[in-house]
Amino acid sequence: YFALTCGIVLRHGGMIDKLVGDSIHALFNAPLDQPGHEAAALACAADLIAATEQFRQQNDGFGRTRIGVESGPAVLGDVGFGTRIDYTAHGPAVNLAARLQEANKIFGSQICIGPALAARMAGKAPALSPLGEAEIRSFGRLSLFTLRA
């Protein structure tokens, strides 16, 4: 599963930040500027869902993949102390993306896109569809989106 999903992220120009449990934290537009990173992240999300659905069909009992995607400033760099230093990203967009992954449970969706990324993608491909509003812990009530089918 990780070989499949991490390979897709890398093909789209994403950076694997870390693997946590059964989750992948991926960053786009880091560590270097990536023109079109918003569209690349969304294309990556669509490819991840297609590939993991096929994987799920071949591996009985494997759960559905859920993805949260948001855009915004983040602090990138080495964080930690002593021998426990890790290159990572911190910031509200990073935290919100993790919570949007969980918000898919509310909507029965697999890709949940935050309002900042939706605003950046307005009028651009790929087209987004509204999911509705949800209360997101620490962020309040937000209008959320998914990729148009």
Side-chain angles (χ1 to χ4, degrees):
Y1 179 81
F2 284 127
L4 172 69
T5 54
C6 289
I8 292 169
V9 169
L10 295 173
R11 277 195 303 278
H12 284 278
M15 181 187 99
I16 307 299
D17 180 32
K18 61 182 61 117
L19 304 176
V20 180
D22 62 356
S23 299
I24 297 172
H25 294 204
L27 305 172
F28 286 78
N29 205 38
L32 302 173
D33 287 342
Q34 180 184 4
H37 66 273
E38 300 94 340
L42 294 174
C44 179
D47 285 353
L48 283 167
I49 294 302
T52 58
E53 279 301 301
Q54 184 175 29
F55 182 89
R56 192 167 78 95
Q57 299 303 317
Q58 298 166 353
N59 294 275
D60 189 39
F62 203 84
R64 294 179 74 202
T65 297
R66 295 185 310 265
I67 299 171
V69 192
E70 182 58 309
S71 179
V75 175
L76 292 148
D78 293 325
V79 176
F81 178 76
T83 60
R84 299 291 303 161
I85 294 178
D86 184 30
Y87 182 86
T88 192
H90 289 275
V94 177
N95 295 339
L96 181 53
R99 294 205 172 100
L100 294 177
Q101 176 275 136
E102 289 291 324
N104 282 301
K105 293 177 184 177
I106 297 168
F107 297 106
S109 54
Q110 288 186 272
I111 300 172
C112 186
I113 300 163
L117 181 54
R120 291 179 68 104
M121 294 304 296
K124 299 178 186 174
L128 306 183
S129 295
L131 285 171
E133 289 189 353
E135 187 72 27
I136 305 296
R137 183 171 51 92
S138 301
F139 292 92
R141 192 154 193 79
L142 299 177
S143 295
L144 303 174
F145 301 84
T146 195
L147 292 174
R148 186 165 293 152

